[in-house]
């Protein structure tokens, strides 16, 4: 059933839509709200792991994520990956999604796992082999404290990894330390490991750019075909 109201501002879904988006008729955000999101579609490298970034973490994205997580507005879940849903399925269709952990306290407080809810429109297998040893919010930590994330994120070895490529997936990348820690815990996996984040902090993007690691791409299945020689 076609969405008639923007899931964020509740205005008519067709307000300020581009002609291309109007033709598709499958949006969950109106054109005005979409225009406030800064699409990046950037590829970079984190340690030895390919990392793809969809959006910049700007004020609007921060507000949306906060409203869903802390405001428990689960109805917002579809908006985050909606525009890239088909491309994610095409590019990573042979992979298993590996989620980074939330603390038990946060899960009990919210009653749901935010990123898992965001991914409900993407029919891919998901595993959760990590846990947090304590309640720890990355965005509230100093740079030095983030460097000690290895004390917080641990692996549950009772949960086995599937014999497929793995896609580490998180909503916000601030310094990259959580993804690095997760990668370190599973890097012995014999299949390819990549990472995908919904959004990244501008300072993280800038640091990658300074290292010459950023590449803007169209985020299509063709990249994967060429990269793997298929």
């Amino acid at each position: 059933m076609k969405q008639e109201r923007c899931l964020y501002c509740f205005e008519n879904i067709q307000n300020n839509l581009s002609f291309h988006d109007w033709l598709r008729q499958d949006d969950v955000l109106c054109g005005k709200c979409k225009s406030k999101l800064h699409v990046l579609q950037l590829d970079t490298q984190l340690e030895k792991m390919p990392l793809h970034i969809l959006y910049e973490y700007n004020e609007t994205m921060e507000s949306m994520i906060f409203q869903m997580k802390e405001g428990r507005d689960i109805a917002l879940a579809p908006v985050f990956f909606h525009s890239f849903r088909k491309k994610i399925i095409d590019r990573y269709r042979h992979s298993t999604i590996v989620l980074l952990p939330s603390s038990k306290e946060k899960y009990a407080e919210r009653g749901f796992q935010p990123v898992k809810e965001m991914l409900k429109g993407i029919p891919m297998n998901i595993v959760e082999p990590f846990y947090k040893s304590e309640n720890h919010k990355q965005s509230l930590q100093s740079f030095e404290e983030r460097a000690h994330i290895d004390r917080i994120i641990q692996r549950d070895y009772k949960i086995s990894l599937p014999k497929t490529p793995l896609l580490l997936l998180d909503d916000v990348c601030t310094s990259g330390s959580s993804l690095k820690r997760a990668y370190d815990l599973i890097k012995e996996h014999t299949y390819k490991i990549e990472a995908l984040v919904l959004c990244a902090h501008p300072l993280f993007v800038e640091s990658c750019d300074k290292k010459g690691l950023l590449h803007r791409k169209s985020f299509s299945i063709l990249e994967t075909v060429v990269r793997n020689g298929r």
Side-chain angles (χ1 to χ4, degrees), residues 212-228:
L213 297 173
L214 283 179
H215 304 281
R216 187 176 298 277
K217 294 193 175 183
S218 60
F219 192 47
S220 76
I221 184 62
L222 295 177
E223 298 167 27
T224 307
V225 171
V226 172
R227 191 168 59 239
N228 293 339

Side-chain angles (χ1 to χ4, degrees), residues 105-150:
E105 292 85 356
K106 275 297 180 184
Y107 181 80
E109 178 185 320
R110 293 170 180 152
F112 63 91
Q113 216 279 39
V115 179
K116 208 168 185 178
E117 293 295 327
M118 293 176 187
L119 294 171
K120 279 195 171 176
I122 299 175
M124 291 174 62
N125 291 330
I126 295 174
V127 294
E128 299 178 75
F130 308 117
Y131 66 92
K132 282 187 176 181
S133 58
E134 60 185 77
N135 194 1
H136 176 92
K137 187 172 177 59
Q138 275 286 88
S139 61
L140 299 179
Q141 310 303 313
S142 67
F143 180 81
E144 291 76 16
E145 288 170 328
R146 288 176 192 158
H148 297 295
I149 192 67
D150 57 318

